[in-house]
Each structure stands twice: as C-alpha cells, then as structure tokens.
Amino acid sequence: MRLLVVGKLNGQLAAAVKMAMSAGAKVSHVESIEAATHALRAGQGADLLMVDYDLDIRGLIEANEAERIHVPVVACGVAADADRAAAAIRAGAKEFIPLPPEAQLIAAVLAAVSDDNRPMVVRDPCMQQVIQLADQVAASDASILITGESGVGKEVIARYVHAKSRRSARPFISVNCAAIPENLLESELFGHEKGAFTGALARRIGKFEEANGGTLLLDEISEMDARLQAKLLRAIQEREIDRVGGAKPVKVDIRILATSNRDLAQAVKDGTFREDLLYRLNVVNLRIPPLRERPGDVVALAEFFAKKYAAANGGPERPISAEAKRRLAAHRWPGNVRELENAIHRAVLLSSGPELEETAIRLPDGQPLAPADAGSRAAQVAYQAAESASRAFVGQTVAAMEQQLILDTLSHCLGNRTHAATILGISIRTLRNKLKEYSEAGVAVPAPQGGVGSNAA
C-alpha cells in the first residue's frame, strides 16, 4: 500500500512512519497540503493520506476532489485533542490516529481504510484450475482479460496476478471505466496539460503514467465508448500515450489487465466494442466461474468472512453451524462472493449464540436462507464431491500434475501449440516433445483447431 504522509516529520510522526513501513506500506512525505495535491496531480500515487490534524484537512480534500483525486485521509496528532480530532473527522478524515502511535493501531487503521485484506480463498477444483493458469501467465507481460459475473472476484484475481508478476514491487492502479463519466475518462487515463479544457488549471498525470513500470487494471472495460477504445488500442500497441492537449507522446511501460462482466464477443457483433481491441486485451482469458459453480469455495469463503467481520466488529470468532453450512452451500448466490460476504457480515452482527446459526444468515430482503430441500441436497452432493476432488491432488506425482497442466492449457488454447508454450513458459520444441511422449503413451492430446499459428505437431 502507498502511504503519503503530510506534515512536519517531528519525532512522533516519524515514529508513525516507521511503524507504517514495518506494516508493509510504501511511504512518501510532503510538508504541506499544497505539496500533497501537487504530488498527487503529478502522478505520485497514494492509496492513503496520513495528515497532521493541525493542517487544513477540509481544504486538502476539496483541492483533491477538484482534480478528481479520491484518496482516503486519516488524521493524526500529538496529545489527542478531542475537539481537533472531531473537527478532522467532520472535515472528511476516515479515522484518527493519536500520537505517540501504537504499532498495532497503525497496522489496523492501514488495513481497515485501504481494504487490502483480500487474500485468495480457493478450495474448489474448478477455481484451482483458474489459479493454475494465472500462475502460469503472471510472470509474462501478456495482457489478460478477466471475465465473469458481477461479484465473482475479478479484481481480486487481477491483484493476485500482479502480486505474482515481475512488476509486483511497482504500482497496481485500478480504473473503474463504468464509474467515471465518458467526458472525464480520457483525462483520467491519459492525463491532460494545463489549459487543455475548461477547469484544467495545471498539468495532471493520468493513470497510464501513474502505473508506469507496474500494472494497470481497466475494470469493466466494456463500458468504454468507441472513440476512447481507439485511443486505448494505440496506447497498448505503441506503448505510448497522448495527454489531452499534449504536444508529444509519452512512453509508458505497463502491463494491461482488463475485466468485463459482459460477453465482449457479442459486444463486437453488436458494434459496441472494437474487435482489434478485444484481440489485444484477450491474449489470455481468465474466466472466473460464478459461485454456484464453485460449491467447494462457499463454506471456505464464509468462514474467512466470519473471522474478518468478527475482528472488525470487536467480537469473538464463532464457528458456522452445520445447518448454516448446508444452507450456504445450497444457495445459488446470484450476487456471488459479494453477496456471500454481505450475508456473513450481517450474520456476525445478528447472531447471539456460540455459533453463527442459520437464522442469522439472511438475504438482502431480510429473509433467512431456505432450508435444504431435495434440489439443494443435490448441491450438497456437488459440494462434497468438490471437496473430495480438491483432496485428490494430494499424492499425485509431479509428472502427472505437469501432464495435466500442459493438457489443460493446450485445451484452453484450442490446441494452439505456440500460445500454449508461451503461457506455460516453455519452448515450442519442449512442448512438442512432451506431447509426443503423451501420445506414445496412449494419452489423448488436443488437436489444433485450425487458424494461423496453430502449429500442429
């Protein structure tokens, strides 16, 4: 997480900085609110601002918002003056940290405000296959299109890929293309020069430059208008961008990830998405199955969220009752992981017994989950089968696992040897030798499905 500290580095604030760095934050520092806004406008990104409460926090937040810079603020101050702390919260600060600081408090506030605590919780075999493929392609610079229904965890996968990549020490920048008005998205992505349009009072560095050296996630890219798609295509092809109102292109070195909950192939047919851009983005596709197709993940995720929200609300950790687990596994979860998380958060707040009972797990309309019926018993069988399948990996030889991974990747690439070798990180010759070995052993090998570069072996 990137932390920008605003204020004079006296002894107490300097101690807080050291504690934040020990908690994993990458820290930079400026002394004034004007310098903070200038640094953010100039592309020095931050996920959180820690600001001395003697400074004008309201003015800082308003100046940032005028530049469409939205970064949460926590206030800090010596002596913990209650009036000034309350004024900082009223001005827009999310939290207050008294100085001298406590290491546990610093770590807790950083985690709570930045919401970085999103580990990968995977038990179901179909999701494990997705993670295997993500592990294979993470080290490359190939663009990846992550698809799936709303709420399945596409951004979590994107962050996982970044963390596994060679760029993990560099920025991970996410842009929600659906949340930014069309007339502002170009400036948000590519930046602008002073005077480029009404309100452009100074140069603003865009997300492409902010992500330089790292990874840029274009979330819900299907919502981008056609004109901007053309500019994005050029940026990906040429590895350079043009600021709005700029006189010359700017070179960038980034890896592009994109997500969509829509069928982009259909969007191409409908004329709302460029086919050439789809090909550029979809070098590798990671399809995240909906939660109803990953029954082995449901209870594991529920247990994770139960612990998370017990800690967040200062309550004891309580196990989920057996009946509650049965109902969780049987429900179809149309809102996917996001809906499950909200349901468990409610259950933590509503449950009063030693366990999280089934009556405390409620749907968004307040109704409890339906009891297991004949249809949901089938889901229970599927859940148990998924759990068994995940345990089946234990005891297999490395050679058997390698064979399965190679054949699964080849199937994913529709038999294309060149693409499969690239994803697997091996030479085409090595791949062909492996496939010849499998064929001679009587193992069925996916045949190329035609097309340029299918490289039949």
Side-chain angles (χ1 to χ4, degrees):
M1 190 194 71
R2 300 167 300 166
L3 175 67
L4 177 60
V5 176
V6 186
K8 294 187 180 296
L9 277 185
N10 55 36
Q12 303 295 354
L13 190 56
V17 167
K18 290 180 180 179
M19 290 177 184
M21 294 174 68
S22 298
K26 298 175 183 177
V27 181
S28 53
H29 168 254
V30 295
E31 290 197 351
S32 67
I33 60 171
E34 294 80 11
T37 299
H38 175 77
L40 294 171
R41 186 194 297 127
Q44 180 182 321
D47 302 306
L48 182 66
L49 304 181
M50 183 184 294
V51 185
D52 188 330
Y53 68 177
D54 285 331
L55 299 178
D56 182 6
I57 290 178
R58 187 183 301 278
L60 171 61
I61 292 174
E62 290 176 350
N64 287 348
E65 289 181 345
E67 294 282 348
R68 301 188 306 283
I69 299 171
H70 302 287
V71 182
V73 171
V74 295
C76 60
V78 178
D81 183 285
D83 291 337
R84 285 189 290 172
I89 298 296
R90 287 194 296 269
K94 301 295 185 183
E95 296 283 352
F96 173 74
I97 299 175
L99 301 179
E102 296 181 6
Q104 288 184 331
L105 177 60
I106 292 282
V109 169
L110 295 182
V113 175
S114 67
D115 193 26
D116 275 348
N117 187 22
R118 289 177 282 184
M120 189 68 63
V121 179
V122 175
R123 297 290 184 276
D124 197 274
C126 76
M127 194 62 188
Q128 287 174 340
Q129 290 183 356
V130 176
I131 298 303
Q132 282 183 339
L133 183 55
D135 287 340
Q136 287 296 314
V137 301
S140 74
D141 275 341
S143 298
I144 297 177
L145 180 62
I146 305 171
T147 57
E149 296 178 4
S150 179
V152 293
K154 296 188 289 295
E155 184 171 346
V156 176
I157 288 287
R159 290 179 180 274
Y160 176 85
V161 169
H162 173 72
K164 292 282 185 176
S165 74
R166 295 192 297 263
R167 299 172 179 265
S168 58
R170 303 294 295 166
F172 175 89
I173 304 298
S174 176
V175 181
N176 188 335
C177 300
I180 302 172
E182 178 182 322
N183 61 326
L184 300 178
L185 184 56
E186 181 177 9
S187 172
E188 188 74 15
L189 289 173
F190 303 111
H192 62 253
E193 297 289 349
K194 180 179 179 180
F197 50 82
T198 302
L201 303 179
R203 170 185 286 179
R204 166 78 187 279
I205 297 302
K207 297 302 184 183
F208 265 82
E209 290 180 82
E210 189 178 332
N212 195 39
T215 302
L216 177 63
L217 172 63
L218 301 173
D219 200 15
E220 300 304 343
I221 194 169
S222 58
E223 304 303 316
M224 184 179 292
D225 76 283
R227 182 190 62 83
L228 200 51
Q229 289 177 29
K231 189 168 182 177
L232 173 61
L233 177 64
R234 179 182 177 276
I236 296 173
Q237 289 175 330
E238 305 300 330
R239 296 297 178 187
E240 63 183 26
I241 56 102
D242 294 302
R243 297 191 194 117
V244 178
K248 60 181 181 179
V250 179
K251 289 289 185 182
V252 290
D253 171 27
I254 61 173
R255 199 243 189 107
I256 297 287
L257 306 179
T259 74
S260 177
N261 60 12
R262 292 174 52 195
D263 183 348
L264 290 185
Q266 185 60 48
V268 169
K269 293 178 182 178
D270 295 340
T272 60
F273 201 82
R274 293 180 63 109
E275 186 175 27
D276 46 4
L277 178 57
L278 176 58
Y279 288 145
R280 283 287 179 180
L281 295 172
N282 196 26
V283 176
V284 178
N285 178 255
L286 293 178
R287 175 190 174 270
I288 313 303
L291 200 53
R292 62 183 172 274
E293 295 179 11
R294 338 168 357 199
D297 286 346
V298 174
V299 173
L301 284 164
E303 290 174 337
F304 168 76
F305 292 134
K307 291 179 181 179
K308 173 182 176 179
Y309 288 109
N313 290 282
E317 287 187 13
R318 288 175 289 182
I320 301 173
S321 73
E323 176 59 23
K325 288 181 179 180
R326 283 191 288 270
R327 296 193 184 192
L328 286 167
H331 188 64
R332 287 185 61 79
W333 301 110
N336 292 295
V337 179
R338 188 179 295 121
E339 181 188 1
L340 174 63
E341 179 174 4
N342 290 340
I344 299 301
H345 192 177
R346 282 192 294 271
V348 168
L349 299 175
L350 296 175
S351 185
S352 56
E355 296 181 311
L356 297 186
E357 62 271 13
E358 67 276 7
T359 55
I361 302 176
R362 296 178 176 270
L363 300 174
D365 62 2
Q367 295 298 312
L369 292 179
D373 56 19
S376 59
R377 278 197 294 273
Q380 292 296 319
V381 172
Y383 166 69
Q384 292 166 1
E387 288 288 276
S388 299
S390 66
R391 290 192 293 269
F393 287 112
V394 178
Q396 288 196 38
T397 65
V398 172
M401 292 295 292
E402 179 189 61
Q403 176 181 307
Q404 189 62 50
L405 179 59
I406 288 175
L407 295 177
D408 286 348
T409 303
L410 191 60
S411 295
H412 172 82
C413 295
L414 304 179
N416 188 305
R417 272 61 173 162
T418 302
H419 289 177
T422 300
I423 291 172
L424 290 165
I426 60 178
S427 69
I428 186 68
R429 181 176 181 178
T430 298
L431 177 60
R432 284 173 172 160
N433 289 340
K434 291 285 185 183
L435 297 180
K436 181 181 179 182
E437 175 186 325
Y438 301 154
S439 295
E440 291 174 348
V443 177
V445 174
Q449 295 187 20
V452 178
S454 57
N455 291 309

